[in-house]
Amino acid sequence: MPRWLVVGATTTVVVVVVVLALAYFFQRKLIYLPSNGPLPPAARVLPGARDVRLTTGDGLTLGAWYVPATGPGLGFTVLVANGNGGDRSHRTELAAALRAEGLSVLLFDYRGYGGNPGDPSADGLALDVRAAHAYLAGELRVPRDRLVYFGESLGGAVVTELAVEHPPSGLVLRSPFTELADTAAEHYPFLPVRMLLRDRFPVAEQVRRIDVPTTVVYGTADSVVPPGQSRAVAEAAAGPVRVVEIRGADHNDPVLVAGSRVVDAVVELVNSRR
């Protein structure tokens, strides 16, 4: 075999190994995109809101904001699980809109987000959302039939995993993916993502085990999570399903972040459970 061919093949193998190693060891830097903390007091951002401290099963203390409903309210609380970027301050518009409709809201940040200690992972986020649930169910005594989970993108995976163990009254999934590997494969088709990924987040698999009313909201122009994956999640859900399709909306467009159709989807689900 010619020497140049041996050198070329060896170089190619080395490059491939290095790329795969980098993808494996630094994948969570690509998945989790927290903003820097700390955050201001809740009342400074949302008048009437209060700061909350959550304690996880592995001993971390996480920051959260509880936003009580104004007026008589609808008697329901919405537990909001964020997507993979930013922090709870980026969900204040959603919380304000839900509060205006008579809903109480809990915004919290995962480990490593919003000035919280720790490093995010699928197992870690599962502990974090359980700490949020424990605060609502334990300290505030919110009954199960008055609790709705709202999951934004990655947060949809977080709340569906929680719902398997602690079913809510209803579930709202905004731009959910079927499984993290399915979305990763769309963006990194040159990598064996199913072999490399350490965090699975199998949303479609989990919703098959959750028999509660579920609303799936997605944009038809989503460039992050393919719309077909959100539709597949809706089709997989075990409970009654409502689909809200927002034409022309991309993943982080304002209409999907806190638009009227997203807020209305939550309110309609709540009204169906009253």
Side-chain angles (χ1 to χ4, degrees), residues 17 65 101 127 132 145 154 169 177 194 201 208 228 234 265 272:
V17 170
W65 293 339
E101 295 289 343
L127 292 173
D145 63 356
L154 179 75
S169 179
F177 48 74
R194 296 185 187 283
F201 294 112
R208 292 188 180 97
S272 73

Side-chain angles (χ1 to χ4, degrees), residues 213-262:
T214 301
T215 298
V216 174
V217 184
Y218 70 94
T220 61
D222 198 318
S223 59
V224 177
V225 176
Q229 291 191 27
S230 295
R231 290 193 293 269
V233 169
E235 292 167 1
V241 179
R242 177 171 178 253
V243 175
V244 178
E245 179 184 271
I246 302 180
R247 302 292 301 175
D250 201 350
H251 195 75
N252 292 312
D253 283 353
V255 69
L256 274 175
V257 173
S260 60
R261 294 193 64 191
V262 173

Side-chain angles (χ1 to χ4, degrees), residues 89-226:
S89 69
H90 299 115
R91 281 79 187 180
T92 54
E93 187 177 354
L94 174 65
L98 292 174
R99 176 174 64 177
E101 295 289 343
L103 297 167
S104 298
V105 181
L106 181 66
L107 300 177
F108 76 101
D109 277 318
Y110 309 124
R111 60 190 62 207
Y113 285 74
N116 286 335
D119 297 309
S121 67
D123 290 341
L125 269 58
L127 292 173
D128 300 344
V129 75
R130 278 166 176 73
H133 177 269
Y135 169 77
L136 292 175
E139 188 165 337
L140 296 190
R141 299 189 180 280
V142 177
R144 170 194 174 278
D145 63 356
R146 294 286 168 169
L147 182 58
V148 169
Y149 299 163
F150 180 98
E152 167 203 318
S153 192
L154 179 75
V158 174
V159 293
T160 52
E161 193 275 336
L162 174 67
V164 172
E165 183 176 340
H166 300 286
S169 179
L171 187 63
V172 180
L173 305 176
R174 199 276 273 176
S175 309
F177 48 74
T178 47
E179 183 176 339
L180 185 59
D182 295 336
T183 299
E186 294 284 337
H187 296 281
Y188 304 101
F190 50 87
L191 291 175
V193 293
R194 296 185 187 283
M195 180 181 72
L196 294 173
L197 273 181
R198 300 158 72 183
D199 296 336
R200 287 189 58 220
F201 294 112
V203 180
E205 175 184 316
Q206 289 167 339
V207 295
R208 292 188 180 97
R209 303 165 60 192
I210 307 167
D211 189 10
V212 302
T214 301
T215 298
V216 174
V217 184
Y218 70 94
T220 61
D222 198 318
S223 59
V224 177
V225 176

Side-chain angles (χ1 to χ4, degrees), residues 40-74:
R44 189 186 302 172
V45 181
L46 284 165
R50 64 176 182 261
D51 291 289
V52 171
R53 289 288 176 262
L54 310 175
T55 302
T56 67
D58 58 347
L60 296 183
T61 300
L62 308 179
W65 293 339
Y66 178 68
V67 188
T70 54
L74 298 176

